[in-house]
């Protein structure tokens, strides 16, 4: 216990804990967007885009992390028009991933930049979080919550059915652009915290658990944040107590929480009768008995 208290006194541990808490209230919401858009594979595309941005940063002398996040934002904006095509976003993500990894390897080859150093930046660590990373996470958290709170009903309709949203006057193209930029930057930020292969602990896993518990976009968002905070707090604490890398422990804890939600009997969370609740303030403008990720 004394060792645990001593660890908490370290600046690196304190920055990591603050960064994890900020991420836990924002990135799970981005995970809900990912589930709703049916683009779970987006994280692989964004990882390669982040690598391309990092290599450009190393080549130009700019901050590699900020370059990676900028590349992620541009990539999210770039694939938004593909949402209208028959192949949809999954096809665009595959194309993006292929071009990004090819571009990154070409830049590495032409520039002579240390490839090992570039790839190492993809294996982020919570204990390596810097002050600038906390600022970026804070800005991202504000952006995610503003997007959700200001456009909650429109988002619910867009994630439920794009065509219906268009017919209802929702600015689907602009909203899709904002969603994809936020999702891409969120994944890039999560890479800095947990590493490229462990991004799911802060995005997808809390959202999957929320899907099993929530019956509307609003309830899914709430549950995702609850699961994100719980998983992050418990995972980080356990990692410090057993002296193990926080990333893998966070994934195991988040995965265990998600599995527990799957053990809840189907329909057990339907505490209210299924009916439209659009006439009540604060509820989504879709039936609560319909899943917002269905298309």
């Amino acid at each position: 216990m004394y060792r645990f208290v001593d660890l908490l006194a370290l600046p690196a541990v304190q920055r990591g804990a603050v960064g994890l808490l900020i991420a836990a209230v924002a990135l799970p919401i981005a995970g809900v967007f990912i589930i709703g858009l049916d683009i779970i594979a987006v994280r692989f595309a964004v990882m390669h885009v982040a690598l391309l941005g990092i290599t450009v940063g190393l080549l130009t002398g700019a901050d590699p992390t900020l370059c990676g996040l900028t590349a992620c934002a541009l990539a999210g904006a770039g694939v938004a028009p593909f949402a209208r095509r028959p192949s949809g976003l999954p096809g665009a993500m595959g194309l993006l991933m292929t071009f990004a990894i090819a571009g990154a390897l070409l830049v590495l080859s032409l520039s002579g930049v240390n490839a090992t150093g570039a790839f190492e930046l993809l294996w982020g660590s919570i204990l390596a979080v810097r002050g600038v990373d906390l600022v970026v996470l804070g800005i991202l958290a504000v952006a995610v919550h503003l997007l959700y709170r200001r456009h909650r009903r429109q988002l619910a309709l867009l994630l439920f059915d794009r065509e219906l949203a268009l017919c209802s006057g929702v600015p689907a193209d602009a909203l899709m652009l904002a969603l994809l930029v936020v999702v891409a930057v969120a994944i890039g930020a999560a890479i800095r915290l947990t590493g490229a292969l462990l991004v799911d602990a802060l995005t997808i896993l809390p959202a999957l658990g929320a899907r099993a518990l929530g019956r509307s976009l609003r309830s899914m968002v709430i549950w995702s944040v609850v699961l994100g905070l719980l998983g992050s707090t418990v995972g980080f604490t356990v990692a410090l107590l057993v002296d193990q890398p926080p990333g893998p422990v966070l994934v195991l804890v988040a995965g265990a929480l998600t599995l527990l939600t799957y053990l809840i009997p189907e329909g057990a969370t339907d505490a209210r009768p299924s009916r439209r609740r659009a006439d009540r303030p604060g509820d989504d403008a879709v039936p609560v008995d319909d899943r917002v990720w269905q298309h």
Side-chain angles (χ1 to χ4, degrees):
M1 181 58 67
Y2 292 109
R3 175 180 172 79
F4 177 72
V5 174
D6 291 339
L7 287 175
L8 290 180
L10 297 176
V13 175
Q14 293 174 355
R15 285 195 301 270
V18 172
L20 197 56
L21 288 176
I22 296 174
V25 300
L27 300 187
I29 301 178
V32 172
F33 297 156
I34 293 172
I35 296 294
L37 293 172
D38 194 22
I39 52 171
I40 293 182
V42 66
R43 61 200 190 280
F44 297 115
V46 173
M47 289 173 197
H48 292 89
V49 170
L51 177 62
L52 175 59
I54 287 170
T55 58
V56 172
L58 292 174
L59 176 63
T60 60
D63 186 280
T65 301
L66 293 180
C67 287
L69 291 177
T70 301
C72 290
L74 293 175
V79 299
F82 287 90
R84 298 191 299 266
R85 296 181 176 269
S87 59
L89 289 172
M93 293 302 171
L95 183 65
L96 176 64
M97 179 173 62
T98 304
F99 273 103
I101 188 62
L105 293 177
L106 183 60
V107 171
L108 287 171
S109 176
L110 293 175
S111 65
V113 171
N114 185 355
T116 302
F119 279 97
E120 281 179 351
L121 289 174
L122 286 179
W123 319 134
S125 171
I126 295 170
L127 300 181
V129 171
R130 305 164 301 171
V132 65
D133 298 321
L134 296 180
V135 173
V136 170
L137 283 171
I139 294 173
L140 175 63
V142 172
V144 169
H145 280 272
L146 281 177
L147 177 63
Y148 168 68
R149 291 184 178 277
R150 293 190 63 179
H151 304 285
R152 186 175 70 218
R153 294 191 177 185
Q154 293 177 322
L155 286 170
L157 196 56
L158 178 63
L159 297 178
F160 178 71
D161 191 304
R162 177 184 171 84
E163 297 302 323
L164 180 59
L166 284 170
C167 294
S168 303
V170 174
D173 291 340
L175 206 52
M176 183 67 72
L177 174 64
L179 274 178
L180 290 174
V181 169
V182 165
V183 164
V185 175
I187 294 175
I191 289 174
R192 179 68 183 175
L193 281 177
T194 62
L197 298 180
L198 304 177
V199 167
D200 292 352
L202 292 172
T203 55
I204 304 298
L205 291 179
L208 288 175
R211 183 172 68 173
L213 297 172
R215 304 303 298 177
S216 68
L217 178 61
R218 180 174 181 270
S219 61
M220 280 184 62
V221 165
I222 293 173
W223 276 115
S224 71
V225 172
V226 170
L227 292 173
L229 284 171
L230 181 60
S232 298
T233 303
V234 173
F236 192 60
T237 302
V238 171
L240 293 179
L241 287 173
V242 300
D243 194 21
Q244 292 298 319
V249 178
L250 283 169
V251 172
L252 291 175
V253 172
L257 290 175
T258 302
L259 286 175
L260 287 176
T261 65
Y262 285 178
L263 297 179
I264 299 175
E266 187 72 23
T269 58
D270 298 340
R272 294 174 294 180
S274 70
R275 51 192 172 89
R276 297 188 72 89
R277 298 176 56 85
D279 56 327
R280 295 195 180 185
D283 283 320
D284 304 327
V286 295
V288 295
D289 58 332
D290 285 327
R291 300 283 189 175
V292 296
W293 56 89
Q294 290 177 339
H295 297 281

